[in-house]
Amino acid sequence: MARAQGCGSLMLTRTSFIPGEMRLLGRFWQSASGYWRGPTAWTAWLLVIALIIDVVLQLLTQYGLNFWNRDFFNAIGRKDRAELLSLALRFLPLAAASIALVVFSVWARMTLQRSWREWLSNRLYSDWLVDDRGPERSAIEGHHEAPEYRIAEDAKVATDLPVDLVNGLLQSVLTIATFVGVLWSVGGSLTVHFDGITLAIPGYLVFAVVAYSALLVIGIWLTAGRLTRVIEENKRMEAELRAIGTHVRETREGKVVQEAGINDRHAVGAALKAVIAIWRIYCWQLMRMTLVTYTGLLVTPVVGLLLCLPKYLDDTMTLGEVVQASAAFVVVQTAFNWFTDNYTKLAEWTASANRVAELLLALDVDRSPGAQASRRSITAGRTVPSGDEVPS
């Protein structure tokens, strides 16, 4: 409770990268990667293989739909009713396959996440609730208050998000490798005439999508570069508010003794003030990031169409090819945008993984020979009070 009075003055504006974060992430993976070894390895790797196959099949379906778009709009341009009917029938199996693969992806991802979380949580609970830890050791010393929250909430986030992020990253890499070829072949070269100079730009759509995606990444980095630290502080302040509230309730119920000089209302008010302050910073970070991401989402299809417009007006690109190329432009840009689209998730995962790693490091220290010897000596020297005595 002594910390509570100063929680409002914690470092809410901390922005610098702390080298120790790499050590924390390393400690997290040291324990969490155990799921991929031992008795649970076959389940883990079977689900991973299923997800990889699903991603590849989704990509092939998307590739087929891209060419279906080209043929469909070319048939519209020719007003070919027979071809339109044939294409409408061809669309049905493609749509059914796409829907089935997306549904299966949800099952596989959530099954992997649930299994990994169960394994990691059991390991954390086992380390926390060791038989030789007395009641007074249920809380980990330092800034590791509420270990039960870290296991219940942070372990969940730390195992859920990596599956989503890696699955999305694999899909983005394969999409880029596939649809860049579509952009290069369909877009071809763009001839620019300027002041008597003729310049041919081969694969201009590929260069355009790379440059456009790079601008969005830079925009996200400039507007929301502090998001990881802000989310971590937000989680810390929320956990402290809950811990203080629990302590106040237990004090009022007579389960624990109130520390001298501590005012419950002031402690809770200071913790709440810290939560609101960091939430305000978090809100501004998300607002700036949303400005960049939503602008990109709104503008990208228009940019793809405008880039194809000169060749369409010169009759070097059909209507179907315009639709195909602009759709491929959106797909590739979205794939390149994996970082910007998932920046919030990356920040949230880093914050949760760091908090789990801090708990793991605290448990490591608690299991050290010196700590165990000290705990045994305390247990050996403990006397059982009689009915008339009050335990100190």
Side-chain angles (χ1 to χ4, degrees), residues 163-218:
V163 177
D164 290 337
L165 292 171
V166 173
N167 184 72
L169 179 61
L170 174 63
Q171 194 166 19
S172 294
V173 171
L174 294 179
T175 298
I176 291 170
T178 302
F179 282 89
V180 159
V182 175
L183 281 179
W184 190 281
S185 61
V186 176
S189 300
L190 178 66
T191 303
V192 179
H193 303 280
F194 178 74
D195 197 21
I197 300 175
T198 301
L199 179 63
I201 307 174
Y204 76 104
L205 288 177
V206 175
F207 293 109
V209 74
V210 170
Y212 181 74
S213 301
L215 285 176
L216 289 178
V217 170
I218 293 172

Side-chain angles (χ1 to χ4, degrees), residues 142-328:
H143 58 276
H144 309 284
E145 70 287 332
E148 68 278 8
Y149 172 77
R150 296 200 179 199
I151 298 174
E153 180 62 25
D154 289 316
K156 172 182 177 295
V157 175
T159 52
D160 277 4
L161 290 184
V163 177
D164 290 337
L165 292 171
V166 173
N167 184 72
L169 179 61
L170 174 63
Q171 194 166 19
S172 294
V173 171
L174 294 179
T175 298
I176 291 170
T178 302
F179 282 89
V180 159
V182 175
L183 281 179
W184 190 281
S185 61
V186 176
S189 300
L190 178 66
T191 303
V192 179
H193 303 280
F194 178 74
D195 197 21
I197 300 175
T198 301
L199 179 63
I201 307 174
Y204 76 104
L205 288 177
V206 175
F207 293 109
V209 74
V210 170
Y212 181 74
S213 301
L215 285 176
L216 289 178
V217 170
I218 293 172
I220 287 290
W221 184 257
L222 292 177
T223 57
R226 300 167 51 197
L227 193 59
T228 298
R229 299 305 307 156
V230 170
I231 290 178
E232 189 169 352
E233 283 299 324
N234 181 49
K235 286 178 175 288
R236 196 183 304 280
M237 295 299 98
E238 293 281 4
E240 181 146 344
L241 178 61
R242 281 188 293 270
I244 292 172
T246 300
H247 186 89
V248 170
R249 177 180 56 79
E250 291 177 346
T251 300
R252 298 296 177 90
E253 293 173 353
K255 295 179 180 180
V256 296
V257 179
Q258 175 70 289
E259 298 179 24
I262 299 298
N263 181 281
D264 289 342
R265 185 66 188 87
H266 176 74
V268 172
L272 179 60
K273 183 179 179 181
V275 167
I276 299 303
I278 193 65
W279 189 261
R280 187 178 296 112
I281 298 172
Y282 182 38
C283 176
W284 279 105
Q285 289 280 299
L286 289 182
M287 286 171 61
R288 289 196 291 267
M289 189 180 71
T290 302
L291 175 65
V292 177
T293 55
Y294 186 73
T295 300
L297 181 66
L298 194 65
V299 172
T300 299
V302 178
V303 171
L305 288 171
L306 290 177
L307 288 171
C308 297
L309 191 59
K311 300 198 70 174
Y312 177 72
L313 295 177
D314 290 341
D315 292 326
T316 55
M317 186 179 285
T318 65
L319 176 62
E321 289 174 333
V322 169
V323 174
Q324 182 187 19
S326 61

